[in-house]
Amino acid sequence: MLQPRGRDPQAIANAPRVDSVQLRSAPRDWSAARQGRGLTPAAGQRGTRPKPGEAAAGAMAAPSPGPREGPPSQDDFSEVLTQVHEGFELGTLAGPAFAWLRRSLGLAEEDYQAALGPGGPYLQFLSTSKSKASFFLSHDQRFFLKTQGRREVQVLLAHLPRYVQHLQRHPHSLLARLLGVHSLRVDRGKKTYFIIMQSVFYPAGRISERYDIKGCEVSRWVEPAPEGSPLVLVLKDLNFQGKTINLGPQRSWFLRQMELDTTFLRELNVLDYSLLMAFQCLHEDERGPGSSLIFRTARSVEGAQSPEESEAQNRRLLPDTPNALHILDGPEQRYFLGVVDLATVYGLRKRLEHLWKTLRYPSRTFSTVSPARYARRLCQWVEAHTE
């Protein structure tokens, strides 16, 4: 369910949790501190809040540097910029590196700032996830904001140079497109970190089903919403039983790209990521090569290459809307696909969790396994559920 809730830094800091997905908006107070480029304090919070005039100096994202040639430097990946405003301060981490990445994705800085600016309230994304994170969508639903722990942010920034290289080599990678990492402190309180990424479920107008897949069983069922309910649920693995993804000739590309992306995550010692999927029925005039839509063909298996080997090619849809990554057409349905949650490392804590779950669920599959096993199992799930 979508409900506008205003844009308040406190909303990001203290909002409820998410995963099955009820969409509602965040407190309108955000527009104040977000004016120009920012996030702002929320309704009902104590202490001084930014006033619209003061916040207009810029908040949500630091002014992005001008265009530059070549990939980001080491200094770009390590830069931290803090903007101090009355009642809150906003940090921008690795700002030049993310600005370069946004440009490389063809995302105009003006569009990015407009979507995250004060044009409308953020949509808060409520879920059944066990995560303590809070989730928000920009008012146009193009961008996804998620709070992260300090350790997760450190992992993301440490992996950022290799992530950028992976996207350069595989421009149609299924990995979620990270667009920014920020910190927010309201009224000298605890610092909250959040990331901004492109929403996999965009454009969302005709999407009928959404899934979050990890390739296991434990805690992977969501009670479907009652018929006629306004709730928008993201279902899980067990909800998908008995269903398949019909990609036709696109299947071989999808399997290969999943293998490449999960191999990359395995090399980073990362696990617990999810394959997000959404389905949309194609209209009659959208089916087949003679449709009125514009397509381009490119490969991601070895990077951008000549579009002559049709079997391994990926046909990417380019609708008359921005931000159409992760969209793949099968014979009957359009699929929105993306791999998200890339910051959980298989360290001591996860190893101990693996031992505990092995005892707790001796005959069932669960998410906390080694990165190699996690990657292999998710690829096997995709192979078994596609045709």
Side-chain angles (χ1 to χ4, degrees), residues 279-326:
F279 304 159
Q280 179 187 95
C281 286
L282 291 175
H283 290 162
E284 193 61 39
D285 62 353
E286 294 173 331
R287 299 176 185 177
S291 74
S292 60
L293 298 172
I294 302 172
F295 292 94
R296 66 185 161 106
T297 306
R299 290 188 61 193
S300 189
V301 173
E302 299 297 338
Q305 292 186 0
S306 164
E308 293 174 3
E309 302 165 8
S310 58
E311 250 184 60
Q313 288 168 354
N314 174 37
R315 186 177 63 177
R316 289 286 173 172
L317 178 67
L318 297 176
D320 187 22
T321 50
N323 202 48
L325 292 172
H326 305 121

Side-chain angles (χ1 to χ4, degrees), residues 5 35 49 103 118 286 299 326 347 353:
R5 251 196 92 189
Q35 201 143 341
R49 298 185 195 136
R103 287 193 298 272
E286 294 173 331
R299 290 188 61 193
H326 305 121
E353 185 179 330

Side-chain angles (χ1 to χ4, degrees), residues 175-306:
L175 299 184
R177 298 309 195 261
L178 302 176
L179 303 176
V181 175
H182 299 272
S183 65
L184 179 69
R185 190 196 303 272
V186 178
D187 291 338
R188 299 183 182 179
K190 184 178 179 181
K191 186 177 289 188
T192 298
Y193 293 90
F194 63 97
I195 64 172
I196 302 173
M197 57 186 172
Q198 289 183 325
S199 173
V200 175
F201 301 149
Y202 180 87
R206 288 158 41 206
I207 289 178
S208 58
E209 298 176 69
R210 297 167 173 83
Y211 292 89
D212 175 316
I213 300 297
K214 291 183 181 289
C216 58
E217 303 169 274
V218 174
S219 300
R220 302 305 297 165
W221 166 264
V222 171
E223 192 64 35
E227 189 173 349
S229 169
L231 292 181
V232 178
L233 295 182
V234 175
L235 304 175
K236 298 185 179 180
D237 301 62
L238 297 181
N239 299 96
F240 199 78
Q241 286 183 339
K243 301 183 180 182
T244 57
I245 306 167
N246 184 4
L247 294 174
Q250 297 293 295
R251 180 176 183 267
S252 60
W253 175 87
F254 180 48
L255 295 179
R256 178 60 176 150
Q257 192 59 54
M258 278 295 299
E259 182 183 349
L260 287 165
D261 289 333
T262 56
T263 296
F264 170 70
L265 295 174
R266 183 194 70 206
E267 292 170 352
L268 296 181
N269 200 34
V270 165
L271 72 157
D272 217 19
Y273 42 90
S274 296
L275 171 65
L276 293 187
M277 307 187 304
F279 304 159
Q280 179 187 95
C281 286
L282 291 175
H283 290 162
E284 193 61 39
D285 62 353
E286 294 173 331
R287 299 176 185 177
S291 74
S292 60
L293 298 172
I294 302 172
F295 292 94
R296 66 185 161 106
T297 306
R299 290 188 61 193
S300 189
V301 173
E302 299 297 338
Q305 292 186 0
S306 164

